[in-house]
Amino acid sequence: QQQVKQSPQSLIVQKGGISIINCAYENTAFDYFPWYQQFPGKGPALLIAIRPDVSEKKEGRFTISFNKSAKQFSLHIMDSQPGDSATYFCAASLNRDDKIIFGKGTRLHILP
Amino acid sequence: DTGVSQNPRHKITKRGQNVTFRCDPISEHNRLYWYRQTLGQGPEFLTYFQNEAQLEKSRLLSDRFSAERPKGSFSTLEIQRTEQGDSAMYLCASSLHGLNYGYTFGSGTRLTVV
């Protein structure tokens, strides 16, 4: 049973455009929703995270939108840059240092 | 502090051999996690430690897998009688329980079983 579903699998965006990645979860006990960025040959790195009591969180060009009733959340990357080309994972856990359940990832490519 | 360190970075082994990986967490971190990531998939949880105590193991961690953290510092993950299906990236992460900063991953050990 996949507890965190992520879409799309891959995404191509023009430089300067907005990249949007969507996720849905099943377990209402999840209390922490991080997004990770992974470059080839590297481990995932925490990008931004949100708790379910907040509907939106913004850090620089990265914004998480959270819809608790729909059990969905999304990552928006504004003014996308070629350096943003990477694989992005949404995830969920019961708290910040509990085990993390990852989505399958979205491979993002930003065209120069 | 240079982050989470994993060794070796790459390991090629023949089917049936035993392999051991090492993870050195960030020095003050008391929690240490092991994940496995196959090509095109997200990382999957294997096990985690708080200090030297192993607190949870996934059903993915078959009897051929064993993890230790003998002194609450570095950890080892051993796979006995490797199978081709064990080929994956093995990721280690660490965190400081209670401070809610989330956790930091290492760059992983890429295992190829031939």
Side-chain angles (χ1 to χ4, degrees):
Chain A
Q1 182 185 17
Q2 186 185 352
Q3 295 193 58
V4 179
K5 294 184 180 179
Q6 182 172 350
S7 63
Q9 264 189 312
S10 62
L11 182 61
I12 299 174
V13 175
Q14 291 281 351
K15 179 183 173 182
I18 303 173
S19 304
I20 302 173
I21 303 170
N22 300 300
C23 280
Y25 64 98
E26 297 167 5
N27 186 350
T28 54
F30 287 143
D31 196 49
Y32 175 66
F33 299 88
W35 284 87
Y36 281 83
Q37 179 189 56
Q38 186 175 31
F39 294 104
K42 300 291 187 183
L46 179 64
L47 193 62
I48 185 172
I50 198 168
R51 298 285 302 277
D53 52 350
V54 175
S55 61
E56 185 175 281
K57 182 174 182 181
K58 184 175 180 180
E59 290 183 0
R61 297 184 295 110
F62 301 92
T63 300
I64 301 178
S65 297
F66 192 89
N67 186 331
K68 188 174 180 178
S69 61
K71 294 190 286 185
Q72 295 176 345
F73 58 112
S74 60
L75 176 70
H76 291 62
I77 306 174
M78 312 300 286
D79 187 27
S80 300
Q81 298 296 312
D84 297 330
S85 297
T87 300
Y88 292 80
F89 295 96
C90 62
S93 71
L94 299 180
N95 58 59
R96 290 178 201 230
D97 62 358
D98 203 342
K99 66 182 179 187
I100 291 178
I101 310 299
F102 285 84
K104 291 191 173 185
T106 296
R107 183 175 283 185
L108 174 65
H109 182 63
I110 307 300
L111 296 173
Chain B
D1 183 6
T2 56
V4 178
S5 176
Q6 291 189 247
N7 288 287
R9 290 297 313 277
H10 304 274
K11 178 73 177 177
I12 300 174
T13 191
K14 291 184 178 179
R15 190 176 53 183
Q17 297 293 305
N18 299 343
V19 294
T20 300
F21 312 138
R22 176 176 170 128
C23 172
D24 287 272
I26 293 173
S27 57
E28 65 270 24
H29 284 186
N30 54 3
R31 282 204 173 180
L32 186 148
Y33 312 79
W34 286 100
Y35 283 76
R36 181 173 69 186
Q37 185 177 23
T38 53
L39 206 60
Q41 301 293 316
E44 295 174 298
F45 170 78
L46 293 178
T47 188
Y48 85 95
F49 295 83
Q50 180 156 316
N51 300 314
E52 63 274 9
Q54 190 171 17
L55 297 187
E56 186 173 351
K57 293 194 294 186
S58 163
R59 283 174 291 179
L60 291 175
L61 213 64
S62 76
D63 291 345
R64 297 184 298 105
F65 288 70
S66 63
E68 293 183 342
R69 194 183 184 199
K71 296 182 180 179
S73 57
F74 73 91
S75 175
T76 58
L77 178 68
E78 181 183 17
I79 309 174
Q80 296 182 326
R81 305 181 303 281
T82 52
E83 301 172 357
Q84 286 190 319
D86 297 330
S87 295
M89 174 79 85
Y90 289 84
L91 293 162
C92 176
S94 70
S95 73
L96 184 57
H97 178 51
L99 283 194
N100 293 329
Y101 290 152
Y103 46 88
T104 303
F105 280 91
S107 291
T109 294
R110 164 87 52 202
L111 173 67
T112 303
V113 181
V114 297

